[in-house]
């Protein structure tokens, strides 16, 4: 079985119709099956030349996830807690990354400044944590297994951690990441620090 077949197993291939509101997001708790996004309208070969809405970013990460030739060669796993990642595409409107995870990997709490985003987990298992007052430093955790995707707007604050060894995910952001907010939580006090997208996100506390 090819990787694409493994990612898109035979079965229900009913297309997930784009929402009427392209700014609607698909939270991790309601993540979609990648194999149901069978005919994405937005792909790396069919970019509209403008900023993309969350629903379009979801289609884009589904399309890239279904095309392992675009990212498989970049899959590698860092040592000492470092995450391995590679930029697959960047233009004036969108950037696309492949990220590789081991269980000790942790982005720490962060936002994406003015960018919307989407994440497709192609293999393994990640956990998305949503910040919630009173929920403690792990927030509200939502496991996202391989074969599922979610999206978010620029208002989103989250933390991603690896759970299964050798997990891989595809991420797209529009407008492309430039600055990000990274948070520390000390004694219940949350503080934001502006960092460059080129800085590897990791917990600061
Ligand atoms: Fe993020």
């Amino acid at each position: 079985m090819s990787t694409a077949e493994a990612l898109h197993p035979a079965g229900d291939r009913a297309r997930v119709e784009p929402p009427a509101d392209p700014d609607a997001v698909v939270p991790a708790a309601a993540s979609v099956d990648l194999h149901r996004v069978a005919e994405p309208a937005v792909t790396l070969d069919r970019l509209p030349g403008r900023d993309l809405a969350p629903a379009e970013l979801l289609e884009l990460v589904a399309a890239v996830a279904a095309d392992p030739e675009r990212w498989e060669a970049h899959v590698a796993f860092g040592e000492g807690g470092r995450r391995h990642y590679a930029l697959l595409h960047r233009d004036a409107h969108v950037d696309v990354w492949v990220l590789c995870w081991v269980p000790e990997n942790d982005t720490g709490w962060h936002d994406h400044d003015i960018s919307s985003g989407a994440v497709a987990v192609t293999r393994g298992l990640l956990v998305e944590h949503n910040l919630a007052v009173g929920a403690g430093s792990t927030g509200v955790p939502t496991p996202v297994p391989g074969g599922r995707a979610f999206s978010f707007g620029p208002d989103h604050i989250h933390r991603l951690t690896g759970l299964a060894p050798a997990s891989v995910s595809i991420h797209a952001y529009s407008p492309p990441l430039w600055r990000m907010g990274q948070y520390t939580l000390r004694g219940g006090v949350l503080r934001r620090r502006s960092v460059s997208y080129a800085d590897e996100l990791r917990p600061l506390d």
Side-chain angles (χ1 to χ4, degrees):
M1 179 184 291
S2 71
T3 305
E5 287 169 335
L7 191 61
H8 292 207
D12 181 6
R13 290 178 182 270
R15 174 166 160 70
V16 174
E17 293 298 331
D21 176 6
D23 290 322
V25 299
V26 175
S31 62
V32 295
D33 278 318
L34 283 172
H35 78 268
R36 295 193 64 201
V37 191
E39 298 172 8
V42 178
T43 70
L44 283 178
D45 298 322
R46 288 197 301 270
L47 291 171
R50 55 166 171 73
D51 289 354
L52 301 178
E56 295 170 317
L57 290 167
L58 193 73
E59 293 209 344
L60 178 58
V61 294
V64 174
D67 190 2
E69 289 188 4
R70 290 191 182 271
W71 48 267
E72 191 74 61
H74 300 287
V75 172
F77 297 94
E79 297 180 355
R82 295 193 68 84
R83 264 179 305 133
H84 179 82
Y85 50 91
L87 181 64
L88 301 177
H89 175 89
R90 185 178 179 93
D91 64 26
H93 301 289
V94 63
D95 56 348
V96 182
W97 303 76
V98 57
L99 277 68
C100 307
W101 304 78
V102 294
E104 59 262 38
N105 289 156
D106 182 350
T107 62
W109 295 110
H110 65 276
D111 66 47
H112 314 83
D113 200 20
I114 62 171
S115 299
S116 296
V119 176
V121 182
T122 62
R123 64 177 68 128
L125 180 63
L126 302 186
V127 179
E128 191 202 37
H129 307 257
N130 293 131
L131 192 58
V133 173
S137 61
T138 60
V140 178
T142 303
V144 184
R148 304 197 74 89
F150 63 96
S151 62
F152 49 84
D155 58 343
H156 198 57
I157 300 171
H158 70 174
R159 177 177 203 160
L160 289 174
T161 55
L163 189 60
S167 297
V168 178
S169 55
I170 306 295
H171 300 232
Y173 306 95
S174 182
L177 291 179
W178 186 247
R179 303 296 302 180
M180 304 174 73
Q182 192 163 21
Y183 296 82
T184 59
L185 184 60
R186 291 185 182 136
V189 177
L190 194 66
R191 298 185 190 280
R192 182 185 192 271
R193 188 172 92 179
S194 178
V195 299
S196 164
Y197 80 94
D199 295 328
E200 181 184 349
L201 291 175
R202 63 184 66 209
L204 295 178
D205 44 355

